[in-house]
Amino acid sequence: MFNIKKQISRLYLSSVLGNLSLTGAWVAILAARGYSLVEIGFAETVFHITSLLFEIPSGVLADVFGRKKMLLVSAVMKTIGNIIMVFSYNLFMVCGSLAFYAMSYNFSSGSGDALAYDSLKTVRHEDHYEKYASNQMIIYRLCSGISTLCAGFALLIGHKAAYSADILIGAVQIWILLSLKEIRIYQRDVVNEKNMIGSIKQELISCFVTSLSFLKKAKKAVFLMFCNSLVGAVDVLLLFFLQAKLPETGMPGALLGFALFFMEMGGILGSKIILKCEKLRYRSIFAITASFVFLGVLVEHSGMYVIMAAGGFIAALSDDALQVRTNTMLQNMFPSEQRATLISIESFTFSMIMIVLSPLAGILFSHW
């Protein structure tokens, strides 16, 4: 008999292991290794170009072959990225590592949420999804906060040892993922064994085309994707570059990890607050959260690290509040058979925005 509590608990545990690392403050680690903000911005662009190329195919593969399988592929890709980073000695290898991190993100981004929603739908508990999404954002922020809190320790032991520790964490995550149950509440055509490649190709194309057809009709879903991606991109870039900017304002090195952890905690508060705002219209939520995120960007230029950290906290709070509400609304709109593909299209939108903003942000934060 299917046990929904075990399924969700294992998804939570996998998220903990997937987001917990000694190298969460990777921007600070690269800066300490001598890379400039422009080079780091370029590496971030490589990450999002790779994500752009693989995001939608990864979602289609998850819908056709199974979400659990793609979560396992994601964990393997991350491990490969960590191995490359251990041996990296130039920007080219760093970019190669980030490319594997991007693919890891691709294969997990749609698969995890799709598996969780359909698992809940199997036992008619779809209304619990917003709480699940909120808890996932809390896990992400808490683990990211702990990871950045380890920034000083990672710099102390060196990037090789830090990324080696992440490899061990990845091995445990793979073991947890193997215990998940694959859920299919829809039927796919049986693959023709005589023409397996052609049949698989037809399935993949059919899933993708059907997803695009859905989006063509669902204008509201497209609008939600764009709004959420834009606000999220600005927040992510702000928190990334604050890792390198805060020490430049005179913040003691011993406080950097605590400051980054404090900012991540803003997301936890936002994920909880949004659950209390059930009657607040989406337009109002977007207007409020977007305003606070851009406020965080403005105070970043104050040159006072206490105010800058407060701005990062507010931006993270606003971003996660919007993310939880948007994610829930989209899941309720998406058909199960294209769920992972459509989530991947949202991430594709995010990557498109990040490709444009990442190098600009690197220049902006370097000279302003």
Side-chain angles (χ1 to χ4, degrees):
M1 183 177 178
F2 177 58
N3 190 320
I4 185 63
K5 290 184 178 180
K6 285 185 178 180
Q7 180 87 335
I8 296 300
S9 295
R10 287 166 182 168
L11 284 169
Y12 284 147
L13 183 55
S14 173
S15 294
V16 169
L17 295 170
N19 289 292
L20 194 63
S21 73
L22 292 181
T23 59
W26 66 271
V27 173
I29 293 174
L30 288 179
R33 292 177 63 186
Y35 294 99
S36 68
L37 285 180
V38 174
E39 288 176 319
I40 294 171
F42 177 77
E44 176 71 8
T45 301
V46 170
F47 175 97
H48 289 287
I49 289 176
T50 305
S51 182
L52 185 72
L53 295 174
F54 287 91
E55 186 61 75
I56 295 177
S58 68
V60 176
L61 288 169
D63 283 331
V64 173
F65 294 108
R67 286 75 182 261
K68 173 184 173 179
K69 292 184 180 68
M70 296 308 109
L71 287 174
L72 285 166
V73 170
S74 169
V76 171
M77 291 291 184
K78 185 176 180 181
T79 299
I80 294 174
N82 285 330
I83 293 172
I84 294 175
M85 195 64 86
V86 167
F87 296 101
S88 65
Y89 57 85
N90 57 31
L91 184 62
F92 176 78
M93 294 186 72
V94 168
C95 289
S97 176
L98 288 177
F100 275 98
Y101 291 149
M103 288 186 282
S104 173
Y105 170 78
N106 293 153
F107 281 99
S108 66
S109 62
S111 302
D113 286 344
L115 181 58
Y117 189 91
D118 282 349
S119 295
L120 290 168
K121 192 172 183 177
T122 300
V123 294
R124 299 180 180 179
H125 285 171
E126 305 99 302
D127 56 331
H128 293 178
Y129 181 80
E130 185 167 61
K131 182 178 180 181
Y132 169 84
S134 173
N135 288 337
Q136 283 286 29
M137 290 305 300
I138 290 172
I139 289 173
Y140 167 74
R141 288 295 186 182
L142 184 60
C143 291
S144 296
I146 293 173
S147 298
T148 51
L149 193 60
C150 295
F153 181 67
L155 294 175
L156 178 65
I157 65 175
H159 74 280
K160 292 182 181 293
Y163 282 103
S164 295
D166 284 354
I167 293 172
L168 296 178
I169 295 174
V172 178
Q173 183 189 15
I174 291 174
W175 180 72
I176 295 298
L177 289 172
L178 288 170
S179 68
L180 288 173
K181 179 178 177 59
E182 188 71 81
I183 299 295
R184 283 188 181 275
I185 59 176
Y186 56 92
Q187 295 294 323
R188 288 283 181 196
D189 294 335
V190 178
V191 175
N192 184 348
E193 294 182 0
K194 294 182 179 180
N195 185 20
M196 183 174 292
I197 295 178
S199 183
I200 291 174
K201 181 180 178 181
Q202 185 177 0
E203 262 306 286
L204 295 174
I205 294 174
S206 175
C207 180
F208 178 64
V209 171
T210 304
S211 298
L212 291 182
S213 178
F214 167 80
L215 289 177
K216 187 176 180 180
K217 299 175 183 178
K219 303 296 183 183
K220 184 177 180 181
V222 175
F223 174 75
L224 293 177
M225 288 180 180
F226 179 80
C227 290
N228 188 51
S229 296
L230 178 61
V231 173
V234 174
D235 174 54
V236 167
L237 288 170
L238 173 63
L239 296 185
F240 274 172
F241 285 103
L242 278 174
Q243 294 179 22
K245 292 289 287 185
L246 285 172
E248 295 179 4
T249 62
M251 172 176 280
L255 295 180
L256 177 60
F258 291 100
L260 298 177
F261 180 79
F262 168 74
M263 290 188 290
E264 294 287 352
M265 294 307 97
I268 292 180
L269 183 59
S271 297
K272 285 295 185 182
I273 288 176
I274 196 63
L275 297 179
K276 307 295 183 181
C277 304
E278 296 180 0
K279 297 182 180 180
L280 194 60
R281 297 180 61 186
Y282 186 83
R283 290 184 179 180
S284 298
I285 292 174
F286 175 75
I288 294 170
T289 54
S291 297
F292 279 121
V293 168
F294 283 101
L295 176 63
V297 174
L298 291 177
V299 301
E300 188 274 339
H301 301 293
S302 67
M304 295 178 282
Y305 59 79
V306 173
I307 295 177
M308 293 165 65
F313 178 91
I314 294 172
L317 183 154
S318 303
D319 178 26
D320 283 17
L322 182 65
Q323 174 70 33
V324 170
R325 179 54 53 86
T326 304
N327 194 0
T328 302
M329 292 179 66
L330 288 173
Q331 291 293 347
N332 291 333
M333 295 179 184
F334 292 162
S336 293
E337 57 270 26
Q338 287 97 39
R339 191 177 304 285
T341 303
L342 290 167
I343 297 172
S344 292
I345 290 175
E346 181 189 9
S347 296
F348 177 88
T349 304
F350 175 78
S351 295
M352 286 287 290
I353 294 174
M354 286 292 285
I355 286 173
V356 175
L357 293 185
S358 290
L360 295 177
I363 296 172
L364 176 66
F365 289 125
S366 295
H367 298 96
W368 188 15

